[in-house]
Amino acid sequence: MMFSLTPILFLALHLLPGVKSSMVKLNNNGYDGIVIAINPSVSEDEQLIQKIKEMVTEASTYLFQATKRRIYFRNVSILIPMTWKSKSEYLKPKHESYDQADVIVANPYLKYGDDPYTLQYGQCGDKGQYIHFTPNFLLTNHFPIYGSRGRVFVHEWAHLRWGVFDEYNENQPFYISSKNTIEATRCSTYITGTYKVPYICQGERCMKPCRHDSQTGLYEAKCKFIPEKFQSARESIMFMQGLNSVTEFCTAETHNAEAPNLQNKMCNHRSTWDVIKDSDDFQNVSPMKGKNPPPPPTFSLLRTKQRVVCLVLDKSGSMSSDDRLFRMNQAAELYLIQIIEMGSLVGMVTFDSLATIQNYLTKITNETAYQSITANLPPIAKGGTSICRGLTAAFQAIIQSYQSTSGSEIVLLTDGEDDQISSCFEDVKQSGAVIHTIALGPSADKELETLSDMTGGHRFFANKDINGLIDVFSRISSRSGSITQQAIQLESKSLNITGGKWINGTVPVDSTIGNDTFFVVTWTIQKPEILLQDPKGKKYKTLDFKEGELNIRSARLRIPGSAETGTWTYSLLNKHIKSQMITVIVTTRAKSTTIPPVTATAHTSRNTANYTRPMIVYARISQGFLPVLGANVTAFIENEEEHEVMLELWDNGAGADIVKNDGIYSRYFINYHGNGRYSVKVRAQARKKTGRLSLRQRQNQALYVPGYRENGTIILNPPRPEDDYDMEEAEVEDLNRITSGGSFVVSGIPPSGDHTRIFPPSKITDLTAKFKKDHIQLSWTAPGNVFDLGKANRYIIRISKDLLKLQEHFDIATLVDTSSLKPKEAGSTENFEFKPEALKIENGTKVFIAVQAINEANLNSELSNIAQLIKYIPSPEPSVPALGTRISAINLGILGLAVILFII
């Protein structure tokens, strides 16, 4: 069931930060460079800063204990928004920003209020994106629900830094163990408790025993595991860190490999401590000697400053090739007019073998301000290339405008090589500036990206794609966390139009956007005839599109007020006799300061890749903190030789995508065509009501504990707050979003041959199974011939009554005849039914099943998740076995013909 999104979204006011590269470093057992950023929408409250300090201080000691005296928090920066008053103790930030923060403090996730969580969508061991705490979580006592804030921070830090997963599962809170007992999904099993159903009786919360579900054999849906308040078990922090006795992560000795949780699914049943020990942090760290605790963390209070941006643009002789100077000027003009936020301070430097400050910092307040900068865009390309001189001039332009280089941003664009670039690396570090680099063409200096990496800036690559530079500049928006002024790109399309021909197109404008909307048309030979019509029929013609004074073959129309919601249509006539490239670019901003727009961000799993390792492309489509489902998301990946690969991204929980329907769309990319730089661009579309807004609970969050049993008495916590709507999804209007995913560099590719033959099919992660009379029905998402591309050659399915045997000795488990099973294309649903002839199936029989895919090169995928099911036979006498007792075959018989499934 669905409802309109507009009334409910005032709770989520600001955009979650973009994809980031953390500046955290581990030095001599201590973490330095941690950034905790407060969102601009959070009301000023000094207590919030104090509570953050207390949380981190407590967490440092707890982390030190949990890592067996190896690691603690040493230096932490708290980034305070400009919306708070300035104070003498607040320092200026350097590379720190909201969108690069490790922890954000922001308004609550809509449905699940103050649950702390980590945005984590990489593979096992991959770092997460950020931790989200709400102001209310930090200011209010939630100790009975989550445990102390310091302990919660360590739980979330393990998600963020070490890529481990939760050891509980609210979707599968119980399972039947190898000992035939019903167990809570947890680690370790030494944590004890009871099972009860909370309910309302006479206006108060009461409890009753849990009954069995006749369809699953497990406890009923509303049953809760109520832990004993006082325990002896020390594990595990990734299950229930709030228990006083819990001070460690589950180890190989205490790990519960049977539990159907995400840790087992994603990490192949490895314990959290085993994964943590394999992380980069633990490779060169030893336990600190002695018995003393670590020193307490030190805190720096930083206040976000007014945005300062300096463009550093290459005008060397090589920029005359492939119309580069012309395209740079087009993109820079669009950036200054349509992308940069009002109130920003902007300067510009041009360079060849020398550098010239074209504009000192100018405050962008009106059309005159940006025209004073665009008028100085370089008309001619000549000379050599000195990147360091360009950067030095930018620092001078900023300083002489009475601004600090710390926290300022530099947008550096170049197409040339400079063997002296490393000579200014130290000056760049000391400046505190953030440098976004744009490599234009295949010959841009190979060390260029080092400047971005060392300062936390974006890295981009653009080649001959006529829209490539515009897409890149459109991605460089404010890093403050406030979205109401950030530009959103709706369209970026290049059209090769035959002479004398018309071409038509549409651009949807949804109700979350519409302010400051521009339609821009560029051409290569002659200005086309332009017709534009809004959803109510109002028409704009060629004369309404204004050309600037730079003669850069572009014309723009700014829609007065707010653009009408609905589908805009355009028609373009190439009036020249020859074919020419004509482009359409549309940008806009949020319509409301209280309703966040739908946004798209994209990135790759790494900045560099050897051809022997696949790259993963990610796109996150969201409205505030709410994921958008059902979108069609496509990545366009182009190399230096203009070879473009179009890759559809999926949110199906298979292949590279770890969780289905979380608004994270992903896919493996292995079609490398040569070494060098690759650019990534993503288009997200929703049409004909296919898009939905998810209101469901997030993954990777601290467990909301229902209550505790203390000395035989159960004390319940307040029930988890739910939203006012008894629905899980809201309808999303038609939408279009374009975003750059940055760039990456590939190396080590041999000169010839099919490089994809070294890769196996991707692991099957969503295998399910159920009994149908005396047959077993399986279902899973098909992998490809190579990861999630193409289709596998065949499947191997094996079955066993012994979980460990199937996990550790898959090759000797009972083989299922799959001769009739023909693999489908990757992403398709596979269904297969068979009769387990080799195993005796009777009442209470438990069966484990796993699958491997084999490709044309005879390479095996990793073993799938293991599906577990139990056969039940009806019994005429219903009764309920005692809680926590062994379930015999006789007891199982009362539950009816049913199936129980676990995804392990």
Side-chain angles (χ1 to χ4, degrees), residues 172-183:
Q172 290 181 256
F174 306 108
Y175 69 100
I176 295 179
S177 74
S178 57
K179 298 178 181 179
N180 270 355
T181 59
I182 299 178
E183 299 287 350

Side-chain angles (χ1 to χ4, degrees), residues 322 395 759:
D322 299 321
F395 297 152
F759 298 117

Side-chain angles (χ1 to χ4, degrees), residues 349-400:
V349 169
T350 58
F351 70 94
D352 42 50
S353 54
L354 300 174
T356 302
I357 298 175
Q358 299 290 354
N359 295 83
Y360 290 93
L361 296 182
T362 300
K363 189 171 185 178
I364 303 298
T365 56
N366 52 36
E367 187 173 332
T368 302
Y370 62 67
Q371 284 181 345
S372 69
I373 304 175
T374 59
N376 293 326
L377 288 167
I380 300 173
K382 63 179 181 179
T385 303
S386 178
I387 293 170
C388 285
R389 285 180 174 171
L391 292 174
T392 300
F395 297 152
Q396 293 172 353
I398 294 169
I399 293 170
Q400 292 181 29

Side-chain angles (χ1 to χ4, degrees), residues 416-427:
E417 296 183 7
D418 179 1
D419 58 8
Q420 299 297 311
I421 187 173
S422 61
S423 66
C424 59
F425 283 176
E426 189 58 35
D427 290 341

Side-chain angles (χ1 to χ4, degrees), residues 393-412:
F395 297 152
Q396 293 172 353
I398 294 169
I399 293 170
Q400 292 181 29
S401 300
Y402 306 102
Q403 292 291 323
S404 169
T405 55
S406 287
S408 300
E409 297 173 69
I410 291 175
V411 179
L412 171 61

Side-chain angles (χ1 to χ4, degrees), residues 441-486:
S443 300
D445 198 275
K446 303 307 178 186
E447 290 191 277
L448 185 65
E449 285 83 1
T450 304
L451 296 167
S452 298
D453 295 342
M454 70 171 62
T455 63
H458 296 300
R459 44 154 66 194
F460 300 102
F461 165 64
N463 202 1
K464 294 182 181 180
D465 177 7
I466 197 166
N467 279 13
L469 273 182
I470 289 175
D471 299 335
V472 163
F473 272 97
S474 298
R475 178 69 176 82
I476 307 173
S477 57
S478 169
R479 295 148 51 91
S480 70
S482 176
I483 61 168
T484 56
Q485 294 301 314
Q486 290 182 354

